[in-house]
Amino acid sequence: MGIFQWLNDQLLKMQWLSDLVAVLVRDVFGLDLASRVGASIHFFIYDVIKIFILLSVLIFSISYVQSFFPPERTKKILGRFDGITANILAALLGTITPFCSCSSIPLFIGFTGSGLPLGVTFSFLISSPLVDLASIILLASIFNWKIAIAYVVVGLILAVVGGTFIGKAHMEDQVESFVFGSPTIELEEAELTRRDRVNYAVDQVKEVVQKVWLYVLLGVGIGAAIHNWIPESVITALLGQDKWYSVLVATFVGVPMYADIFGTLPISEALVAKGVGLGTVLSFMMGVTALSLPSMVMLKQVVKPKLLGLFFGIVAVGIIIIGYVFNFLGPIFM
């Protein structure tokens, strides 16, 4: 085994943790790991601890980096560019911002109100909940690096293409008037010390964990149930790779939900293990994170129905296309 594979197994997949939990379940709880109950408890304890460890480390690291890019600085950076370059940069900057669409909308208001092009701000709005730096590591910890990198790449492409289409539609009149009337105050950027950045990163870890802990527990619980209690035949009958409609179902099943990638990953892991296509699973994850009903309700407060419908349509079509492409190319990544 190469050193990279060993590091991947021990640091990301945390094989050592899986072994410890196996000892706990078998020797302390007295359960057979091959039984449904034993396997479910192992899955739940192992995944919950692993996700929270990775979550804390990654959010601390990302937040430390994010402290160098406050909103005012981000607006100044984006304001220097135009065209497709600005869309690409906005999508990339979206990867180091808050972790759900609802928390991205206040920044969207600030960016639009300060005069940034509408298409650029939508590239940011699509990218921010859909793709973040933590998603690369978390996806790699559950699947592999090829899937993790591919997910991030297609997410960024969707953000750039979606923002570009919205920009070309010239629908500035579909933004609520109060957004453009929002006062913008130019403040000098405070020079943060290293301690300030560390404190900020610690606060972000606490805040994000408080927001997502319930979704992680629910996601892992659902994943454990799918993995150990629902027969593979039932799953594949609805979402099997041979079902042409599986991507459509997965995309729109995710819309009523409100979670983030941390809560959807355990479910996705279990679905893939049951024979669901990779593209179908990615469509589910993207539908939950980018098109959730609560985020649409919040966005409805700042844009009018025509623009909201265009945004939803572009992102939904993009997710569906990505799903079918990955189902077709799935063997390459697994």
Side-chain angles (χ1 to χ4, degrees):
M1 180 186 298
I3 184 64
F4 180 81
Q5 184 63 47
W6 184 86
L7 290 173
N8 188 73
D9 289 343
Q10 299 301 323
L11 295 182
L12 292 184
K13 295 184 181 296
M14 297 190 190
Q15 185 58 47
W16 58 270
L17 177 61
S18 178
D19 295 340
L20 284 177
V21 175
V23 172
L24 175 69
V25 173
R26 184 183 62 244
D27 297 345
V28 178
F29 296 163
L31 297 173
D32 182 359
L33 289 169
S35 68
R36 285 182 175 181
V37 174
S40 297
I41 292 176
H42 179 274
F43 185 102
F44 185 85
I45 296 175
Y46 164 60
D47 263 41
V48 166
I49 296 175
K50 181 181 72 171
I51 288 174
F52 277 118
I53 290 175
L54 287 173
L55 188 62
S56 300
V57 173
L58 291 170
I59 292 178
F60 179 89
S61 304
I62 293 167
S63 298
Y64 190 89
V65 173
Q66 187 185 345
S67 69
F68 291 92
F69 296 94
E72 288 301 322
R73 178 175 293 181
T74 302
K75 285 190 288 186
K76 288 179 181 178
I77 293 172
L78 291 175
R80 298 172 190 162
F81 300 89
D82 55 23
I84 192 70
T85 303
N87 289 96
I88 293 172
L89 191 58
L92 290 172
L93 286 172
T95 66
I96 56 173
T97 53
F99 297 91
C100 71
S101 50
C102 293
S103 56
S104 304
I105 289 173
L107 286 177
F108 168 81
I109 294 173
F111 290 171
T112 304
S114 67
L116 290 178
L118 191 61
V120 173
T121 57
F122 265 99
S123 285
F124 172 88
L125 186 65
I126 295 170
S127 169
S128 183
L130 194 62
V131 182
D132 57 70
L133 298 177
S135 65
I136 303 177
I137 307 298
L138 286 165
L139 279 163
S141 73
I142 287 180
F143 298 113
N144 60 52
W145 280 101
K146 289 189 291 185
I147 293 175
I149 294 171
Y151 174 87
V152 172
V153 169
V154 297
L156 290 173
I157 290 173
L158 177 57
V160 172
V161 172
T164 300
F165 268 104
I166 290 173
K168 297 292 185 183
H170 300 294
M171 299 180 72
E172 285 74 13
D173 62 327
Q174 292 297 305
V175 178
E176 295 291 350
S177 57
F178 79 86
V179 173
F180 296 108
S182 299
T184 57
I185 303 174
E186 294 295 330
L187 299 174
E188 288 189 15
E189 295 173 9
E191 186 61 39
L192 299 179
T193 65
R194 180 176 297 179
R195 177 178 291 276
D196 291 333
R197 299 188 194 282
V198 169
N199 290 338
Y200 169 76
V202 171
D203 289 340
Q204 286 295 100
V205 171
K206 294 177 181 177
E207 181 179 340
V208 172
V209 169
Q210 287 174 353
K211 285 181 179 179
V212 307
W213 70 267
L214 181 59
Y215 301 118
V216 171
L217 295 182
L218 288 173
V220 175
I222 294 170
I226 293 172
H227 199 281
N228 298 290
W229 294 90
I230 301 179
E232 185 172 328
S233 58
V234 174
I235 300 293
T236 55
L238 179 63
L239 297 174
Q241 296 194 47
D242 60 330
K243 302 297 187 294
W244 66 267
Y245 51 78
S246 63
V247 171
L248 298 175
V249 172
T251 300
F252 291 106
V253 161
V255 172
M257 301 175 65
Y258 178 61
D260 48 39
I261 193 170
F262 311 122
T264 59
L265 272 172
I267 301 174
S268 302
E269 177 186 13
L271 289 173
V272 168
K274 288 291 185 178
V276 176
L278 176 61
T280 303
V281 169
L282 293 183
S283 293
F284 168 73
M285 291 171 56
M286 289 181 164
V288 172
T289 54
L291 296 175
S292 69
L293 188 59
S295 67
M296 292 299 103
V297 171
M298 286 198 66
L299 188 57
K300 174 64 174 65
Q301 307 307 309
V302 296
V303 302
K304 298 176 182 178
K306 189 176 180 180
L307 178 54
L308 181 67
L310 179 63
F311 166 76
F312 185 93
I314 288 173
V315 176
V317 169
I319 290 173
I320 290 167
I321 291 173
I322 289 169
Y324 282 114
V325 169
F326 272 82
N327 271 353
F328 180 74
L329 300 176
I332 298 175
F333 295 98
M334 299 303 287

